[in-house]
Amino acid sequence: MPGSDPDWFSKSIVDDKTTMLTEPFVHAYVRANIWHLRGRDADLLVDTGMGIRPLAPEIETPQGKPLLVVATHIHLDHVGSLHEFPWRAGPRMSAAQFESMDEAATYAYMFHDLEGAVSKLPAPGWRAADYKIPSAPLTRILDEGDVVDLGDRQFRVLHLPGHSPDSIALFDEADGLFFSGDAIYDDRLIDDLPDSDRTAYRHTMRRLLDLPIRIGHGGHGPSFDGRRMRDIATAYLGQTGGI
């Protein structure tokens, strides 16, 4: 594994328990948000970016404190560094594919020929054509209704397909914090990938209209409140004839 590059990731402090990381030199299409939430008994990392440079050295957790890493779905911009972490959770629907990280599931092959894949070389001689995602078998499989417990807060797992068949999100029912992955985010929603399903996506959007979130942290774009999420969902339903 190549050495850490402190300049590859950007970090934003959201609050005293939450940090957002992203990869500013990666093409905007695959520049995903990575969320680190500090809990009392365990920390939570939601998604792991592209894996072009090591992510683990950037995640600051006290020695001996567990860190659960949740992949919201198996697409390349969310699972690239998953293999760096020992405690890995992800959706049941794609669980078997995390062992192989098959390019048909991750879409890693799309990055090989992506024009402007990076705006800065992560290492001398690096080529997008050589990009591969290492195997990262899940140590915990997540289903709809499961609970991710950090000690002082609990997140309910929601299966929200459409963008991908395996998309999940994490919802803190006590205070309305929502890690939505690519189920919904404040940017152009992608629903035209080979494994996307617009009918399922419309069902997800209708479900989200009634979800009482306080703040949502998505897989892309800025964070959003409940009103903004309902606006995004309503707009998608209007555009796709699903209201």
Side-chain angles (χ1 to χ4, degrees), residues 34-95:
I34 301 162
W35 300 97
H36 178 202
L37 179 69
R38 296 162 190 84
R40 185 190 68 205
D41 300 336
D43 280 8
L44 173 67
L45 191 68
V46 182
D47 290 329
T48 63
M50 289 288 293
I52 293 172
R53 301 296 295 178
L55 173 63
E58 308 298 324
I59 308 303
E60 300 173 4
T61 54
Q63 187 170 2
K65 188 179 186 184
L67 173 67
L68 174 63
V69 183
V70 172
T72 59
H73 58 302
I74 201 172
H75 291 170
L76 72 164
D77 47 334
H78 299 264
V79 300
S81 282
L82 190 62
H83 66 284
E84 299 176 34
F85 303 92
W87 195 18
R88 302 181 292 263
R92 178 174 296 280
M93 185 166 287
S94 56

Side-chain angles (χ1 to χ4, degrees), residues 60-242:
E60 300 173 4
T61 54
Q63 187 170 2
K65 188 179 186 184
L67 173 67
L68 174 63
V69 183
V70 172
T72 59
H73 58 302
I74 201 172
H75 291 170
L76 72 164
D77 47 334
H78 299 264
V79 300
S81 282
L82 190 62
H83 66 284
E84 299 176 34
F85 303 92
W87 195 18
R88 302 181 292 263
R92 178 174 296 280
M93 185 166 287
S94 56
Q97 296 166 308
F98 280 83
E99 186 163 351
S100 65
M101 287 297 186
D102 178 62
E103 291 192 351
T106 66
Y107 295 127
Y109 65 88
M110 290 186 174
F111 190 62
H112 294 162
D113 301 313
L114 182 62
E115 186 175 352
V118 297
S119 59
K120 165 188 170 180
L121 284 181
W126 181 91
R127 300 189 315 152
D130 298 327
Y131 176 76
K132 291 185 67 175
I133 301 175
S135 169
L138 299 180
T139 60
R140 180 181 176 186
I141 294 172
L142 298 176
D143 288 302
E144 167 80 28
D146 285 350
V147 173
V148 172
D149 190 352
L150 305 184
D152 55 346
R153 62 196 320 165
Q154 292 77 40
F155 289 88
R156 183 77 59 184
V157 176
L158 307 180
H159 179 217
L160 300 173
H163 169 77
S164 69
D166 63 337
S167 285
I168 59 171
L170 301 175
F171 181 49
D172 183 338
E173 296 166 303
D175 86 341
L177 178 60
F178 184 46
F179 290 104
S180 62
D182 282 1
I184 193 166
Y185 51 88
D186 197 352
D187 205 338
R188 187 176 77 84
L189 299 177
I190 304 297
D191 65 355
D192 56 357
L193 294 167
D195 66 349
S196 298
D197 182 334
R198 288 176 181 164
T199 299
Y201 220 171
R202 288 193 292 270
H203 179 78
T204 284
M205 293 300 167
R206 286 193 287 268
R207 182 179 182 186
L208 291 176
L209 288 174
D210 297 323
L211 195 70
I213 79 156
R214 175 179 59 85
I215 188 73
H217 298 317
H220 302 269
S223 297
F224 49 87
D225 61 14
R227 177 180 292 182
R228 177 60 183 154
M229 183 178 75
R230 289 187 289 275
D231 286 347
I232 296 167
T234 300
Y236 182 85
L237 289 167
Q239 292 160 7
T240 58

